[in-house]
Amino acid sequence: MSIVGIGGVGKTRLAKEAIGRVRRSFRDGVYFVDFTSVRDEALLEQVVRDSVPGAPSVGTLIDQLTDRTLLLVLDNCEHVLDRLGPLVSEVMAWCPGVRILATSRRPLGISGEYILSLSPLGTSAATPGTTESALLFRDRASAAGGQLSDPDLAAVDELCARLEGVPLAIELAATRTRTMTVPEIIAGLDDRFALLRGGPRDIHPRHQSLDAMLRWSWEQCSADERRLWTQLSLFAGPAPLRAIVSIRGRTTTVDTVDTVDALVQQMLLIRSETAGEATFGMLEMIREYGRRRLDEGEDEGEDGGGDGTSGSAGTEPEFRERHLGHFREFAAAAQHGWFGPSQRQTAQRLTAGIADFRLAFEWALGQGDRISDGEALFADLWLYWVGSGHLHEARIWAHQLWARLAECDRAPTCRSLWTRGWVSVVTGDIADAREQLRQCLERAPAEGTARDEYTALGLLAACDAIDGNYPVAVEQYAAAIDRARAYGHPLGLALILQNFAEISTMSGDFEAAEAACDGSEELCLAHGEQWCYSHVVWVRSVISYLRGEFSAARDHGLRALKLKISVEDQLGLALTLEVLAWTAAARGDHTGAAVLLGGTEPYWGSAGAPLMGLPRLIELRSECLLGLSEVLGPAELRTCLAEGAGIGLERLPAFATGLAPGPAGEPVEQPTGRPGEPAGLDTLTAREREVALLLGDGMSNREIAAKLVIGQRTVETHVARVLAKLGARRRSEVGTLVARSGRIRTAKSVSGP
């Protein structure tokens, strides 16, 4: 068996622990061979022979071990693998009583080898201070004579996370507690290679400092492996193979795969997977070391020949050019392929690569001739900003981009204008949205495309709707829909139809909203699209809630929630959880509703405006909170809201899905007034007030159903809620309550045919 892992992860310590546990199983004992000081591979066999029983000068190693039953532990093998691999293979073939345990930064690479990859210690746990990393730090700090105060203990988890759970780094940091507090050690990690040194004198010098340990890893790499190490250190996060190939310049794909594999075997790269695509990242200390070697001009590469199979790492500006080019192409391809069945994978890959998009954007803005590339990145990532709900960061990018464009006396493109305008609409900054969208609409005929024009027109319609100008908004939406349909762009048409459905719902025109939902849904399903479709399902949940059809609202909400999770839409999650909260409150689960509202509140704070700034949605949230305060009391409501905020938006869907649907799938709400007192009509929804008024006129369920053009079963549900909310036991009591409220009306005054 081979224990493999990065330097300092504890391979030797684990091997020694294993020796203590299995020693009695081997008749002839356990023998430990450390190859750290072996430089001449010709002496390798002799070093082993000197360490095991028998005459090391007679016969061969096989002769010496043939009749033995022992465990041979080979430590620190990574630099002698070329000779050691065949030697171990030969021993295993001819000496059946010999077992071999090796520690190395890469596998021996022989047949029959079992590999145990040793990862860093855990750095997260439910209870602070109980992680593997924290326990090791506290133990080593105590052994080193360090002093840990309460503030120190509170900061241990953060320190261990910064050290990424690497035992050597943790132990070196622990020795510093003799002279530094834990917060001071954390601050000193900006120069971790200078700080983390001074290990015990009885261990090998390369384990006495982080710098020495990584220098040893560097020396074991080939020139091409060092070159790739330095190149990958310039990425901000894990990189997929296609990105690595792209930034390597002249290096071929096959050579890159081989070099990446070599670094993975040495545990210098960590392989993970995102949306079915392998990505390769580094621990931060390894990344920092690579950057330092690059800064020192030590990429250690030779220029390749005419075959184009190697080539030097190049200068950092050359790398940045290739890096920007790759992520510029990535964003452009993603936004063109967004409307289709690969949408989920696209969203996940964009999220995984956002750190490098940021790096490319920042570098582009700093170069006078690359600002257009930075602007294209901002515009092409509209689906990340709006589609995945990263609105706060979008506003930061827009501010930086517009400031840089002004410095260079350049006007933003139409695509950038409507992208910023869209973000401003969703975050409630209507004044800024109007300014950007009007510019786009004015310039689109000469400088933009039909898509720029109808997108700006549709978003301006949303601004009018938010401001309460629904007739103007409807007219503008109609024009935008006609232009999108003429242009033949299914994504644009689906989005405008969905937006129109949303606004129609807010204005109470449910018929128009449902028709628009149908049109958008048809386009989405025909193309295998999920994000826009999830918004359509969310709109349907709002319509059902406003109609008082709470079972349908919950069903639509849960469907939307599942879709939102699949495309990682944070904005959509928050919107859907809101409706599920209102529905839970209407169905009598007041505590669950309060927890959900507490969970969405932090997101709205970071987004800039709650519920996209839509007045009707904000009103519904406020009404729900007011009702919850009356039922739960202000103190209990605050407790529930805090609980929801602690759960966080990412974990809130599991909580929402777990809320009980209520008896028979349609629970009866409890009255919102004080016990023993009838509640007023203000506690009812608009639809419930209509039903209450008709009940007061003595109408039967069948007559109410015919009057309101809804199903009789739905009426039965509304009647049950009205009785419960008003604290009434009989239908006749509702007439008395209506009369007391001063709202005596006849059935003819209620809306209906």
Coordinates of all heavy atoms in Angstrom, one line a residue, residues 472-515:
V472 N -49.6 52.3 -19.6 CA -48.5 52.6 -20.4 C -47.6 51.3 -20.5 O -47.1 51.0 -21.6 CB -47.7 53.7 -19.9 CG1 -46.4 53.9 -20.7 CG2 -48.5 55.0 -19.9
A473 N -47.4 50.6 -19.4 CA -46.6 49.4 -19.4 C -47.2 48.3 -20.3 O -46.4 47.7 -21.1 CB -46.5 48.9 -18.0
V474 N -48.5 48.2 -20.3 CA -49.1 47.1 -21.1 C -48.9 47.5 -22.6 O -48.6 46.6 -23.4 CB -50.6 47.1 -20.8 CG1 -51.4 46.2 -21.9 CG2 -50.9 46.5 -19.4
E475 N -49.0 48.7 -23.0 CA -48.8 49.2 -24.3 C -47.4 48.9 -24.8 O -47.1 48.4 -25.9 CB -49.2 50.6 -24.5 CG -49.0 51.2 -25.9 CD -49.4 52.6 -26.0 OE1 -50.1 53.1 -25.1 OE2 -49.1 53.3 -27.0
Q476 N -46.4 49.2 -23.9 CA -45.0 49.0 -24.2 C -44.7 47.5 -24.3 O -43.9 47.1 -25.2 CB -44.1 49.7 -23.2 CG -44.1 51.2 -23.3 CD -43.0 51.8 -22.4 OE1 -42.8 51.4 -21.3 NE2 -42.4 52.9 -22.9
Y477 N -45.2 46.7 -23.4 CA -45.0 45.3 -23.5 C -45.5 44.7 -24.8 O -44.9 43.9 -25.4 CB -45.7 44.6 -22.3 CG -44.8 44.4 -21.1 CD1 -45.1 45.0 -19.9 CD2 -43.6 43.7 -21.2 CE1 -44.3 44.8 -18.7 CE2 -42.8 43.5 -20.1 CZ -43.1 44.1 -18.9 OH -42.3 43.9 -17.8
A478 N -46.7 45.2 -25.2 CA -47.3 44.7 -26.5 C -46.3 44.9 -27.6 O -46.1 44.1 -28.5 CB -48.6 45.3 -26.7
A479 N -45.7 46.2 -27.6 CA -44.8 46.5 -28.7 C -43.5 45.7 -28.6 O -43.0 45.2 -29.7 CB -44.5 48.0 -28.6
A480 N -43.0 45.5 -27.4 CA -41.8 44.7 -27.2 C -42.0 43.2 -27.7 O -41.2 42.6 -28.3 CB -41.3 44.7 -25.8
I481 N -43.2 42.7 -27.3 CA -43.5 41.3 -27.7 C -43.6 41.2 -29.2 O -43.1 40.2 -29.8 CB -44.9 40.9 -27.0 CG1 -44.6 40.7 -25.5 CG2 -45.4 39.6 -27.6 CD1 -45.9 40.5 -24.7
D482 N -44.2 42.1 -29.9 CA -44.3 42.1 -31.3 C -43.0 42.1 -32.0 O -42.7 41.3 -32.9 CB -45.2 43.3 -31.8 CG -46.7 43.1 -31.5 OD1 -47.1 42.0 -31.2 OD2 -47.4 44.1 -31.5
R483 N -42.1 43.0 -31.5 CA -40.7 43.1 -32.0 C -39.9 41.8 -31.8 O -39.2 41.3 -32.7 CB -40.0 44.3 -31.5 CG -40.7 45.6 -31.9 CD -39.9 46.8 -31.4 NE -40.6 48.0 -31.5 CZ -40.2 49.2 -31.3 NH1 -38.9 49.4 -30.9 NH2 -40.9 50.3 -31.4
A484 N -40.1 41.2 -30.6 CA -39.3 40.0 -30.3 C -39.8 38.9 -31.1 O -39.0 38.0 -31.6 CB -39.5 39.7 -28.8
R485 N -41.1 38.8 -31.3 CA -41.7 37.7 -32.2 C -41.2 37.9 -33.6 O -40.9 36.9 -34.3 CB -43.2 37.8 -32.1 CG -43.9 36.6 -32.7 CD -45.4 36.6 -32.5 NE -45.7 36.0 -31.1 CZ -46.3 36.6 -30.2 NH1 -46.7 37.9 -30.3 NH2 -46.5 36.0 -29.0
A486 N -41.2 39.1 -34.1 CA -40.7 39.4 -35.5 C -39.2 39.0 -35.6 O -38.8 38.5 -36.7 CB -40.9 40.8 -35.8
Y487 N -38.4 39.3 -34.6 CA -37.0 39.0 -34.6 C -36.7 37.5 -34.6 O -35.7 37.0 -35.1 CB -36.3 39.7 -33.4 CG -34.8 39.5 -33.3 CD1 -34.0 40.1 -34.3 CD2 -34.2 38.9 -32.3 CE1 -32.6 40.0 -34.2 CE2 -32.9 38.7 -32.2 CZ -32.1 39.3 -33.2 OH -30.7 39.1 -33.1
G488 N -37.7 36.7 -34.0 CA -37.5 35.3 -34.0 C -36.5 34.8 -33.0 O -35.9 33.7 -33.2
H489 N -36.4 35.5 -31.9 CA -35.4 35.0 -30.9 C -36.2 34.5 -29.7 O -36.9 35.2 -28.9 CB -34.6 36.2 -30.4 CG -33.5 35.8 -29.5 ND1 -33.4 36.2 -28.2 CD2 -32.4 35.1 -29.7 CE1 -32.3 35.7 -27.6 NE2 -31.6 35.0 -28.5
P490 N -36.3 33.1 -29.5 CA -37.1 32.5 -28.6 C -36.9 32.9 -27.1 O -37.8 33.1 -26.3 CB -36.9 31.0 -28.8 CG -35.6 30.9 -29.5 CD -35.5 32.1 -30.3
L491 N -35.6 33.1 -26.8 CA -35.3 33.5 -25.4 C -35.8 34.8 -25.1 O -36.5 35.0 -24.1 CB -33.7 33.5 -25.2 CG -33.3 34.1 -23.8 CD1 -33.9 33.3 -22.7 CD2 -31.7 34.0 -23.8
G492 N -35.6 35.8 -26.0 CA -36.1 37.1 -25.8 C -37.6 37.2 -25.6 O -38.2 37.8 -24.8
L493 N -38.3 36.4 -26.5 CA -39.7 36.4 -26.5 C -40.3 35.8 -25.2 O -41.2 36.3 -24.6 CB -40.3 35.7 -27.7 CG -41.8 35.6 -27.8 CD1 -42.5 37.0 -27.8 CD2 -42.2 34.8 -29.1
A494 N -39.6 34.7 -24.8 CA -40.1 34.0 -23.6 C -39.9 34.9 -22.4 O -40.8 34.9 -21.5 CB -39.3 32.7 -23.4
L495 N -38.8 35.6 -22.3 CA -38.5 36.5 -21.2 C -39.5 37.6 -21.1 O -40.0 37.9 -20.0 CB -37.1 37.0 -21.3 CG -36.0 36.0 -20.9 CD1 -34.6 36.6 -21.2 CD2 -36.1 35.6 -19.5
I496 N -39.8 38.2 -22.3 CA -40.7 39.4 -22.2 C -42.1 38.9 -21.9 O -42.8 39.6 -21.1 CB -40.7 40.1 -23.6 CG1 -39.4 40.8 -23.8 CG2 -41.8 41.1 -23.7 CD1 -39.2 41.5 -25.1
L497 N -42.5 37.7 -22.4 CA -43.8 37.2 -22.0 C -43.9 36.9 -20.5 O -44.9 37.2 -19.9 CB -44.1 35.9 -22.8 CG -44.5 36.1 -24.3 CD1 -44.5 34.8 -25.0 CD2 -45.9 36.8 -24.4
Q498 N -42.8 36.3 -20.0 CA -42.8 36.1 -18.6 C -42.9 37.4 -17.8 O -43.6 37.5 -16.8 CB -41.5 35.3 -18.2 CG -41.4 34.8 -16.7 CD -40.9 35.9 -15.8 OE1 -40.0 36.6 -16.2 NE2 -41.4 36.1 -14.7
N499 N -42.1 38.4 -18.2 CA -42.1 39.7 -17.5 C -43.5 40.3 -17.5 O -44.0 40.9 -16.6 CB -41.1 40.6 -18.1 CG -39.7 40.2 -17.8 OD1 -39.4 39.5 -16.8 ND2 -38.7 40.7 -18.5
F500 N -44.2 40.2 -18.7 CA -45.5 40.7 -18.9 C -46.5 40.0 -17.9 O -47.4 40.6 -17.3 CB -46.0 40.6 -20.3 CG -47.3 41.1 -20.6 CD1 -47.7 42.4 -20.2 CD2 -48.3 40.3 -21.1 CE1 -48.9 43.0 -20.5 CE2 -49.6 40.8 -21.4 CZ -49.9 42.1 -21.0
A501 N -46.3 38.7 -17.8 CA -47.2 37.9 -16.9 C -47.0 38.3 -15.5 O -47.9 38.5 -14.7 CB -46.8 36.4 -17.0
E502 N -45.8 38.6 -15.1 CA -45.4 39.1 -13.8 C -46.1 40.4 -13.5 O -46.7 40.6 -12.4 CB -43.9 39.2 -13.7 CG -43.3 39.4 -12.4 CD -41.8 39.4 -12.5 OE1 -41.2 38.4 -12.8 OE2 -41.2 40.5 -12.3
I503 N -46.0 41.4 -14.4 CA -46.5 42.7 -14.2 C -48.1 42.6 -14.2 O -48.7 43.3 -13.4 CB -46.0 43.7 -15.3 CG1 -44.5 43.9 -15.1 CG2 -46.7 45.0 -15.2 CD1 -44.1 44.3 -13.7
S504 N -48.6 41.8 -15.1 CA -50.1 41.7 -15.2 C -50.6 41.1 -13.9 O -51.7 41.5 -13.4 CB -50.5 40.8 -16.3 OG -50.1 41.3 -17.6
T505 N -49.9 40.2 -13.2 CA -50.3 39.7 -12.0 C -50.3 40.7 -10.9 O -51.2 40.8 -10.1 CB -49.3 38.5 -11.5 OG1 -49.3 37.5 -12.5 CG2 -49.7 37.9 -10.2
M506 N -49.3 41.6 -10.9 CA -49.2 42.7 -9.9 C -50.4 43.6 -10.0 O -50.8 44.2 -9.1 CB -47.9 43.4 -10.0 CG -46.6 42.6 -9.9 SD -46.5 41.6 -8.4 CE -46.7 40.0 -9.0
S507 N -50.9 43.8 -11.3 CA -52.0 44.8 -11.5 C -53.3 44.1 -11.3 O -54.3 44.8 -11.5 CB -51.8 45.3 -12.9 OG -52.0 44.3 -13.9
G508 N -53.3 42.8 -11.1 CA -54.6 42.1 -10.9 C -55.2 41.6 -12.1 O -56.4 41.0 -12.1
D509 N -54.6 41.7 -13.3 CA -55.1 41.1 -14.5 C -54.7 39.7 -14.7 O -53.8 39.4 -15.5 CB -54.7 42.0 -15.7 CG -55.4 41.6 -17.0 OD1 -56.1 40.6 -17.0 OD2 -55.3 42.4 -18.0
F510 N -55.3 38.8 -14.0 CA -54.9 37.4 -13.9 C -55.1 36.7 -15.3 O -54.3 35.8 -15.6 CB -55.6 36.6 -12.8 CG -55.3 37.2 -11.4 CD1 -56.3 37.1 -10.5 CD2 -54.1 37.8 -11.1 CE1 -56.1 37.6 -9.2 CE2 -53.9 38.3 -9.9 CZ -54.9 38.2 -8.9
E511 N -56.1 37.1 -16.0 CA -56.4 36.5 -17.3 C -55.2 36.7 -18.3 O -54.7 35.8 -18.9 CB -57.7 37.0 -17.9 CG -58.1 36.3 -19.2 CD -59.4 36.8 -19.7 OE1 -60.2 37.5 -18.9 OE2 -59.8 36.5 -20.8
A512 N -54.8 38.0 -18.3 CA -53.7 38.3 -19.2 C -52.4 37.7 -18.7 O -51.6 37.2 -19.5 CB -53.5 39.9 -19.3
A513 N -52.2 37.6 -17.4 CA -51.0 37.0 -16.8 C -51.0 35.5 -17.2 O -49.9 35.0 -17.6 CB -51.0 37.1 -15.3
E514 N -52.1 34.8 -17.1 CA -52.1 33.4 -17.4 C -51.8 33.1 -18.9 O -51.1 32.2 -19.3 CB -53.4 32.7 -16.9 CG -53.4 32.6 -15.4 CD -54.7 31.9 -14.9 OE1 -55.7 32.0 -15.6 OE2 -54.6 31.3 -13.9
A515 N -52.4 34.0 -19.7 CA -52.1 33.8 -21.2 C -50.7 34.0 -21.5 O -50.1 33.3 -22.3 CB -53.0 34.8 -21.9

